[in-house]
């Protein structure tokens, strides 16, 4: 059985695409709506996100805490924001390797902006059986696609509440 490598969901948020893009493309603010992220530290001072920008995300799941190293791969204001997670660790992102890609697409819609959040599993070199066992251990019995589908919905609902 091949594992599912991409999941996404969409929701209309009551604000314009540029305002929503500005909020989501600031990784220091992601902890305001993500159920797992606690925010981030950007490596170089900046005013706006740009392709190549590197940041370290702080994350939690239950009692577990970890840090990820991420690089912005798409920064198109009001249209799309994407970053790749390419290192992870407990106190510092020292274990290098493809992990995941997160993408946000923005489209004007009646009542605001349709935002689509997409998670892609970049662990392509992992055998499916190993990924399945690992996923179920770290997510209390779910696959990462099942787990991320729920996290994506929560993030989108939190954004919707923030801009209500």
């Amino acid at each position: 059985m091949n594992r599912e490598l991409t999941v996404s969901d969409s929701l209309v948020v009551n604000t314009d695409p540029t305002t929503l893009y500005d909020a989501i493309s600031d990784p220091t603010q992601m902890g305001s709506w993500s159920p797992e992220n606690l925010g981030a530290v950007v490596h170089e001072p900046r005013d706006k996100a740009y392709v190549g920008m590197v940041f370290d995300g702080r994350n939690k799941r239950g009692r577990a805490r970890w840090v990820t190293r991420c690089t912005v791969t798409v920064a198109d204001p009001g249209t799309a924001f994407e970053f790749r997670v390419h290192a992870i660790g407990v106190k510092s992102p020292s274990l290098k390797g493809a992990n995941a890609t997160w993408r946000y697409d923005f489209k004007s819609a009646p009542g605001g902006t349709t935002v689509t959040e997409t998670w892609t599993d970049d662990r392509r070199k992992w055998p499916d059986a190993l990924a399945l066992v690992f996923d179920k251990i770290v997510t209390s019995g779910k696959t990462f696609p099942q787990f991320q589908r729920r996290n994506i919905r929560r993030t989108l609902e939190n954004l919707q509440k923030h801009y209500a």
Side-chain angles (χ1 to χ4, degrees), residues 72-91:
V72 174
T73 53
V74 175
D76 188 1
T79 303
F81 177 70
E82 178 184 274
F83 64 90
R84 289 209 169 115
V85 181
H86 53 85
I88 191 169
V90 175
K91 293 189 179 187

Side-chain angles (χ1 to χ4, degrees), residues 4 15 25 47 68 72 79 95 115 136 142 145:
E4 189 176 8
T15 192
S25 68
D47 291 329
T68 57
V72 174
T79 303
L95 182 59
V115 59
K136 288 190 174 193
K142 301 200 180 315

